[in-house]
Amino acid sequence: MKQLQFIQRALGFSTDRSSRFSFLVGLMLLFSIPVSAQDIWDRIKAKPQTLETTKKSYLENDIFKLGLLNSSHTVASLNPKVDLSFDFVPSELLDIRSRDSLYHLGDINLMYRIGEEETWKSFSSAHKRESSANEQKATSQRAVSLVSKSLRDTDQIAVYRTWELGENSLTLTFELKNESGKPVEIGYLGVPMIFDNILHWKSLEDAHLEKVFYDPYIGGDAGYLQVVRLHGKSPVLLVVPKENASFEAYSPLLDDQTPRNITFEGFHDWVIHSKAKAEGQWKNAEQWIEPTSMVIAPGESYTSSLEFLLADDLRSIEPTLVANNRPVAIGLPGYVVPMDVKAGLRLKAPQSIKEMTVSPEGSLIITKNPEKDAEGWLAFDVEGKQWGRAKVEITYLDGTKQVLSYKVIHPETELVAKMGSFLTTEQWYENEEDPFGRHNSVISYDYEKKAQVVEDSRVWIAGLSDEAGAGSWLAAFMKQLLDPKMEEVEKLGKFMHETLWGGIQYNEGENKYGVKKSVFYYEPEKMPAGTYSKSVNYGTWAAWDKEHADSPGRSYNYPHVAAAHWIMYRLLRYHQGFELPQTWDWYLENAFSTSMAMVELAPHYAQFGQMEGTVFLMLLDDLKKEGMEAFAKELEGAMRARADVWSGLAYPFGSEMPWDSTGQEEVYMWAKYFGMDEKADVTLNAILAYMPAIPHWGYNGSARRYWDFQYGGKIQRIERQLHHYGSALNAIPVMHEYIDNPENLYLLRVGYAGMVGGVANVTEDGFGPAAFHSYPEMLAIDPYSGDYGSGFFGYAVNSKSILLHDKTFGWLGFGGNVKEIEGNIKLELTSGGRKQLFLAPEKLLVKLESGNILEASYNPESGKLHLLLDKANANTKHAYFRISHPNKSDWDLGLEKLENGAYILPLGTDQKELIISLK
């Protein structure tokens, strides 16, 4: 109770925690946006209204209630009948968004050229509003209108829009009629997807109740958009192609005037044809799907339509698609394929497959596996042969084309090794004269320039702190958890004792154990001439002076440092030969003291869940195992006080941002630890809402983040980031939940995809980038290393191989290759560390603190698990391991234990077998 009162006093919490939290969120929003959203709305209000918003018509069936503006036939409201109080579209902003260049559902974007013209013309129904003339008398089920009289008068292209309700769906159809005497080529056809993801001025509680996020499966005729409420519960809206509406690209509507910032990601076009933009502003990017166009002959028409469906919940998306005769794909374990993995693909479609092609040719080998066909699902084996993006195009007998996007990567063990080498060579900074004390450090990197980043106007990037400055050295430390290397640890030891301890982290005085916001700063009047480059614009709020940089008040910097100390403890505790200045217990105590300094020196932000906050739980576990009971009790009390604050909030996922996708990781883990199951469930549902299961490597398991290119990237803009660090961090709670519920394959698919997403963007030579740019003009990694390390933390602590039996798909391996031989199920481990094995049928987790598992063999009948461990090396003479099981704790292994309870298995010059009997 004392800890709770201390933290609540420090945070200034009132008894009404929910209202206080909303107030804090409002303040953060106010001071986080350079030009406030309200100012931008005011400018929009000054423009004349061009939509009449008071007169509406309604179409209804048993599933939807659709409200249309009479003046434009765009959507005013879209309510699911199961919850009429909820609206999928931003109807509460209808009046303010009733000006030109503000898109609504039902708008259309075109690029076209007539006859022999070479230049593309553009048309958008949103740019200059016209009254849509009714072509037929509207009914309660159908409404038809001419979109633009001016387009028809000018270029003789008539565009008709039809809204129509079926028994269980809603259809939006556009008919493009060429009334000219020349052929018309449609080079771009986009349908704006306008749903309510505008979070401006919303508390977290209101946002989770009222708002949605949506993610695309850019998959051709089998593509779809899933629209999910922030709280992750029903209903889920699905947009699917019905006729001539292949999902070819997903293009940002940057001309929409709705203010975009940390509380609004922006809107996108569902792009059906993209040739015109692929020839222009997208010409330097390789698109997900081959760009197309459509030629409409004189007097002919072209019809394109989308259908809207409802699914009960996230796990019902695929069954709903199957029930509506949509082709469905399930990648096992996903769509990021290491070259040593034999992955699986399951397809279910109403039509037989006519053809399957791969591009680049030979990048993937896909083999039919009829022995694994089950319940209408066709089984294929997938092997990656060529590093990089790969595309699979499946053509069905009726002409339907489905596209799957894969990423082939190096074997995870090889990838981890290359990354560790890159970090400690290319990113290793040595400069004894550096005035900021960064000598002997792993510093940020610009892959485009192939150069270290020693200056940036966002001082933390060059200042070895914050996520975007600490990211690289954090990744270097976490790599040692999976694959410790003598030469890398030697350098990290120098960094720890020459740069971090006493530099980034205070080692004395009133701020002892506090962590600075940055060691690089901008104060030219106090520094030698030439310290700062004139080419860098330091005239921004992010160019902190020394006083601001020295502040220990940002809690998010502490987990990075705690993790570094924790890794050093583990290296000395479970390995041999590493020469470091201190003993293992010194590093463990420093990790503890860093954790406590966070709540004492940075209490404001410590109220929120921290990215990598799981390290505090792992640290607590080690303190208990090592008998450091006083430290463990103090740390547990401080964390309980934080968790008690969260327990009083409906959606305890705040951060320094108004909405975030990183605090959920720690909130879930402590909620589970302290038995706050209801709060853990709320947190998990929120994670699953922004972490989709989609047949596309970039979006599958990719936790939503859209502003951190601003703070850690080289290309600075608001943009959906693919496999930003949030993917692997949010995979921690999802995988944790799966371990508790091993029959839930959906959880495993999402969690594993997010975890592997933590390494999906690593380059062939081992550079870890901030994230992948999703805009079709780029579709490439950001050149900066940025905050990559936080994601690698999630990958490293979560890396495990899983052997399971699914009732539909049979025996499966995630992080390994499965073979069934005479009643034995063998799993060859391929995970990055090969240190954790989860045997799902037995709910058994074997975790190695050191050493590697090469292969596992399980006999379900005898209940015996055989593990084959790798031989000894210079730094690993013993395998130290633990066994976790929900019902059994005593294992007759004939092995000694460390004082902290880890089993000791001596390793030698040959591989070693370990047998665990489960019966």
Side-chain angles (χ1 to χ4, degrees), residues 656-694:
E656 58 192 328
M657 299 298 184
W659 176 87
D660 212 335
S661 57
T662 51
Q664 287 85 339
E665 166 225 337
E666 192 194 8
V667 169
Y668 170 92
M669 295 302 287
W670 285 118
K672 273 289 187 181
Y673 178 80
F674 290 120
M676 301 173 180
D677 291 342
E678 183 272 336
K679 198 59 60 182
D681 186 58
V682 167
T683 307
L684 179 70
N685 285 329
I687 291 170
L688 294 175
Y690 58 71
M691 197 170 179
I694 280 177

Side-chain angles (χ1 to χ4, degrees), residues 554-587:
R554 187 176 186 272
S555 63
Y556 300 100
N557 299 322
Y558 288 74
H560 318 324
V561 177
H565 288 298
W566 179 71
I567 288 295
M568 291 304 206
Y569 147 72
R570 292 184 59 86
L571 288 171
L572 292 177
R573 191 65 166 119
Y574 297 115
H575 295 273
Q576 298 77 42
F578 293 122
E579 296 183 4
L580 294 169
Q582 299 291 345
T583 57
W584 63 260
D585 52 328
W586 184 89
Y587 294 104

Side-chain angles (χ1 to χ4, degrees), residues 778-881:
M778 189 168 178
L779 295 181
I781 61 169
D782 190 86
Y784 267 17
S785 52
D787 40 22
Y788 170 77
S790 295
F792 191 78
F793 171 94
Y795 171 82
V797 302
N798 222 1
S799 179
K800 58 177 62 71
S801 297
I802 297 165
L803 179 61
L804 69 146
H805 187 271
D806 181 74
K807 62 182 180 180
T808 300
F809 301 133
W811 287 102
L812 301 172
F814 281 57
N817 296 319
V818 176
K819 292 182 181 178
E820 300 179 43
I821 304 173
E822 298 179 353
N824 291 312
I825 314 301
K826 288 193 174 183
L827 182 72
E828 176 196 4
L829 276 70
T830 60
S831 59
R834 297 178 295 172
K835 286 180 168 53
Q836 295 190 56
L837 171 69
F838 182 62
L839 183 58
E842 302 285 356
K843 296 187 176 181
L844 177 83
L845 178 64
V846 181
K847 182 178 180 181
L848 272 62
E849 312 289 9
S850 61
N852 298 305
I853 306 171
L854 300 177
E855 185 178 277
S857 179
Y858 169 61
N859 189 301
E861 194 168 320
S862 68
K864 288 190 181 297
L865 175 66
H866 292 244
L867 301 179
L868 185 64
L869 275 64
D870 202 358
K871 58 187 178 182
N873 61 43
N875 301 119
T876 306
K877 306 293 186 182
H878 302 86
Y880 297 99
F881 67 94

Side-chain angles (χ1 to χ4, degrees), residues 514-579:
V515 181
K516 296 176 182 178
K517 291 167 65 176
S518 175
V519 294
F520 180 68
Y521 51 85
Y522 182 66
E523 206 157 323
E525 63 277 7
K526 295 183 180 179
M527 303 299 287
T531 299
Y532 304 102
S533 301
K534 293 182 180 180
S535 60
V536 178
N537 175 22
Y538 284 106
T540 74
W541 67 270
W544 297 329
D545 60 19
K546 190 175 190 303
E547 180 182 358
H548 285 86
D550 282 348
S551 168
R554 187 176 186 272
S555 63
Y556 300 100
N557 299 322
Y558 288 74
H560 318 324
V561 177
H565 288 298
W566 179 71
I567 288 295
M568 291 304 206
Y569 147 72
R570 292 184 59 86
L571 288 171
L572 292 177
R573 191 65 166 119
Y574 297 115
H575 295 273
Q576 298 77 42
F578 293 122
E579 296 183 4

Side-chain angles (χ1 to χ4, degrees), residues 265-475:
E265 174 184 352
F267 299 126
H268 288 71
D269 253 348
W270 174 304
V271 183
I272 298 165
H273 297 295
S274 61
K275 176 184 173 182
K277 287 199 174 182
E279 291 179 346
Q281 65 189 87
W282 301 353
K283 64 182 179 181
N284 294 322
E286 177 193 352
Q287 298 304 306
W288 300 120
I289 294 179
E290 189 69 26
T292 65
S293 66
M294 168 60 65
V295 176
I296 308 174
E300 298 295 322
S301 294
Y302 177 60
T303 299
S304 181
S305 59
L306 294 169
E307 189 172 25
F308 299 75
L309 308 169
L310 274 192
D312 290 337
D313 52 37
L314 286 161
R315 294 165 182 82
S316 300
I317 289 175
E318 288 156 348
T320 300
L321 293 169
V322 169
N324 284 273
N325 298 313
R326 310 298 309 161
V328 174
I330 293 179
L332 299 168
Y335 305 91
V336 176
V337 182
M339 291 180 186
D340 60 345
V341 168
K342 182 172 283 189
L345 172 64
R346 301 295 186 269
L347 296 173
K348 181 178 277 192
Q351 295 281 325
S352 298
I353 295 174
K354 178 182 179 182
E355 184 182 22
M356 185 181 291
T357 60
V358 172
S359 60
E361 186 176 355
S363 57
L364 292 170
I365 294 179
I366 301 181
T367 309
K368 183 74 181 68
N369 192 338
E371 294 180 2
K372 294 186 177 181
D373 290 350
E375 299 182 17
W377 292 93
L378 302 180
F380 299 84
D381 295 328
V382 180
E383 296 177 82
K385 297 297 182 182
Q386 177 182 315
W387 183 92
R389 286 167 50 185
K391 179 173 59 181
V392 178
E393 186 174 281
I394 305 159
T395 304
Y396 296 95
L397 286 178
D398 63 352
T400 297
K401 290 187 178 181
Q402 179 174 20
V403 178
L404 308 175
S405 292
Y406 279 89
K407 177 69 181 293
V408 179
I409 62 174
H410 291 300
E412 290 178 55
T413 52
E414 182 181 329
L415 180 152
V416 168
K418 285 187 173 184
M419 194 194 71
S421 176
F422 194 100
L423 287 163
T424 53
T425 55
E426 300 303 313
Q427 293 187 240
W428 182 250
Y429 179 69
E430 293 183 2
N431 180 3
E432 294 182 358
E433 305 301 319
D434 182 65
F436 304 101
R438 296 171 298 179
H439 176 54
N440 285 336
S441 65
V442 182
I443 203 165
S444 298
Y445 195 80
D446 183 338
Y447 195 70
E448 185 177 45
K449 290 184 175 181
K450 298 295 188 291
Q452 297 171 348
V453 180
V454 296
E455 276 192 271
D456 195 283
S457 61
R458 298 157 293 176
V459 295
W460 54 83
I461 290 179
L464 301 177
S465 199
D466 201 288
E467 290 70 66
S472 292
W473 61 254
L474 173 63

